[in-house]
């Protein structure tokens, strides 16, 4: 999903950004939300939305944002 307008005013500078739901391969009933980014500390808009596809393999990268550790997702190379 590409929220437009951004969900919160604080994210307006990073629009367009993605918000994704990731299903874990080892536990398909567990799903996590986050953003697909180019690198763990990259901005939320660092991946071109045209590169995103349903079912694309990703791997997690944990990043600290304002003192909270959050999961972000990196596209796996195919």
């Amino acid at each position: 999903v590409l929220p437009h307008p951004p969900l919160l005013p604080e994210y307006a500078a990073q629009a367009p950004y993605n918000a994704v739901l990731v299903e874990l391969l080892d536990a398909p009933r567990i799903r996590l939300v986050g953003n697909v980014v180019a690198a763990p500390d990259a901005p939320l808009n660092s991946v071109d939305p045209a590169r995103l596809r349903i079912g694309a393999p990703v791997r997690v990268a944990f990043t600290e944002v304002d003192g909270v550790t959050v999961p972000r997702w990196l596209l796996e190379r195919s």
Side-chain angles (χ1 to χ4, degrees):
V1 172
L2 297 174
H4 187 76
L7 297 174
L8 299 170
E10 293 81 10
Y11 290 89
Q14 296 190 64
Y17 60 88
N18 61 74
V20 299
L21 180 67
V22 175
E23 183 177 86
L24 301 182
L25 193 59
D26 295 343
R29 295 180 62 164
I30 296 176
R31 296 180 178 144
L32 302 171
V33 296
N35 308 95
V36 176
V37 292
D41 293 327
L44 298 183
N45 61 0
S46 62
V47 172
D48 179 357
R51 294 185 56 211
L52 302 176
R53 298 282 181 265
I54 293 173
V58 294
R59 63 183 165 87
V60 70
F62 293 99
T63 303
E64 188 173 315
V65 177
D66 297 328
V68 177
T69 301
V70 296
R72 290 197 172 169
W73 305 96
L74 307 172
L75 286 173
E76 287 284 350
R77 297 177 191 213
S78 50

